[in-house]
Amino acid sequence: MITSAEEFVRLRTSKNPEEYLRAAWDDAPLDVWHEVIQNYPDMSFWVAQNKSVPVEILCILASHPEEEVRSMVASKNKLPEELQLKLASDPEFFVRQRIAYNKKATFKALQIISQDKDDELRAHVLKRISEGRYI
């Protein structure tokens, strides 16, 4: 388990693959994730990438100002529907695209993207809907 924001940063920036992987997989208490986001905002993408990051933290990161962070959040399979709906309406194409290709996307999230201004994204989602490939 990761026990501090400083430990997370050290693991994430390590050249040692074992340590680097711990930053991607290990759990951390909520207060550690909050501290990383607050004190090391440049690490927000890596917090979102962590496989065990709690949904509560994804809720915060879904409003992050950087598109890259929101895109990572949108790719998470454990994303609850309310966050999928929020990100399906994101102003940035790549965030909406991540929801469109998320295997756990709900019908409601895909419905939002089925009205997207991008023809290819809209076509992909309409195909998914017609094939019943959604939750």
Side-chain angles (χ1 to χ4, degrees):
M1 177 172 272
I2 300 168
T3 59
S4 71
E6 292 75 19
E7 180 184 13
F8 178 80
V9 172
R10 182 184 59 76
L11 292 170
R12 175 60 195 93
T13 58
S14 175
K15 302 271 189 244
N16 179 335
E18 289 176 16
E19 290 187 345
Y20 183 90
L21 287 174
R22 279 194 58 212
W25 287 91
D26 279 13
D27 289 326
L30 279 175
D31 62 321
V32 169
W33 293 128
H34 284 286
E35 188 179 346
V36 173
I37 293 167
Q38 183 175 1
N39 296 341
Y40 304 94
D42 57 320
M43 290 282 134
S44 294
F45 173 85
W46 302 109
V47 170
Q49 184 196 42
N50 179 281
K51 302 299 184 205
S52 63
V53 68
V55 170
E56 179 178 333
I57 300 302
L58 294 177
C59 288
I60 294 166
L61 295 175
S63 297
H64 196 278
E66 292 180 23
E67 172 188 351
E68 180 182 55
V69 175
R70 295 191 316 277
S71 290
M72 179 54 71
V73 171
S75 71
K76 303 297 270 192
N77 289 330
K78 64 179 159 185
L79 206 59
E81 185 174 57
E82 68 265 12
L83 288 182
Q84 289 184 31
L85 298 176
K86 173 186 175 87
L87 295 170
S89 299
D90 195 275
E92 298 297 334
F93 169 79
F94 290 110
V95 176
R96 298 189 313 274
Q97 182 184 51
R98 287 284 183 107
I99 293 292
Y101 283 85
N102 186 318
K103 68 181 181 181
K104 300 283 185 159
T106 65
F107 178 71
K108 286 182 181 179
L110 295 176
Q111 273 188 310
I112 290 170
I113 300 171
S114 73
Q115 304 299 312
D116 200 87
K117 61 188 173 204
D118 184 88
D119 293 338
E120 287 182 37
L121 190 58
R122 193 172 57 249
H124 170 77
V125 167
L126 290 171
K127 183 176 183 201
R128 271 190 77 174
I129 290 171
S130 72
E131 294 172 351
R133 293 187 299 122
Y134 52 84
I135 300 294

